[in-house]
Amino acid sequence: MPEKTIESINIKRIEILDQAGETDEALMPSLAEADIRCLYELLVLSRAFDQRALSLQREGRLGTYASILGQEASQVGSAYALEQQDWVFPSFRETGVHIARGYPAELLFAYWAGDERGMQAPEGLNIFPISIAVGTHIPHAVGAAMAIKYRGEKTAVAAYFGDGATSKGDFHEGFNMAGVYRLPVVFICQNNQWAISIPRERQSAARTLAQKAFAYGFEGIQVDGNDIFAVYKVTRDALRKARDGGGPTFIECHTYRMAHHTTADDSTRYRHDREVELWKPRDPLARLQSFMEKKGLWTEQYRAEAEARARTIIDDAVKKAEAMPRPDPGDMFTYTYAAPSSRQRRQQGAL
């Protein structure tokens, strides 16, 4: 019998905006000048939050915090493509997604200070609580997409996670179900090259992470995660496909974690400075700034005003977060189960 090739795959990588601020006009999404300014200001605000959170942690005013430095384009670009009714399932490194969706910064500061009330999303913001456990929220996102399909709603789900999650069982179980049922879900992986101290090449032999989707019967695509236009376009197209019944898509945002894994980590113990230096010229904020300069949309005065607005928002958010009345310790029992267990009743009595 002859040998046959019964399946082959092609992995696309999308790049639109280069480091010099030039764009591929054939791929450039249609964005008004107001949209481009909004994207820039969201990047500035996300970075301002990140810098302040790191400072507050060092002062003992926040707990362990996971920096998003270098990954802002993957987060803001993808979140900007979402419609109001879409659902978001974040992991612990999506501050830029929260900010782009309009999540109050004071609630984010409260959460990282250890107050779980910070994860109570305001009415109208379809964002689930942060998942600290790696990848465990992927089946939850798939379940939500199953419900949306069952109800016949024109809504999509976006599930965010890092490259380390693609080696977890929850990832494969979620992908399998999403593929079988053609569910309206977009999986967005921020491949920042490091799963804590494990480099990308030591956690998977796959040439790309995007190709893992093909094993489950749907498209995987890689995008330059530091290119905000490419991330926006690929996510927008995948979300439209999901809402129109076209099933799931897996987007691998190829980016880089410029900071330590968290404030409890020391990355100098396992990676070289030269690797970090290699990525600095690819900074997503500087790249968009170069583009805007060429288009006459950016000046030093505009930068100063945008950064001043961001500082005001962050200053106000810190004040609000730290002025919140302390939560009732009994709440940790009240909202765990419908009825407390015997052990919980004993613990409640010991308060």
Side-chain angles (χ1 to χ4, degrees), residues 27 131 167 173 228 236 241 318:
L27 293 174
S131 175
S167 300
E173 292 162 12
I228 196 163
R236 181 201 62 186
K241 184 179 79 173
V318 173

Side-chain angles (χ1 to χ4, degrees), residues 306-321:
E307 291 180 355
R309 282 195 294 272
R311 279 196 302 274
T312 299
I313 292 170
I314 297 303
D315 288 346
D316 185 56
V318 173
K319 289 177 184 173
K320 288 180 178 176

Side-chain angles (χ1 to χ4, degrees), residues 192-214:
N192 67 13
Q193 315 298 317
W194 288 90
I196 308 182
S197 58
I198 303 298
R200 157 70 181 84
E201 63 272 15
R202 287 185 57 197
Q203 67 162 305
S204 175
R207 185 175 177 187
T208 71
L209 300 180
Q211 68 198 63
K212 295 187 178 187
F214 288 87

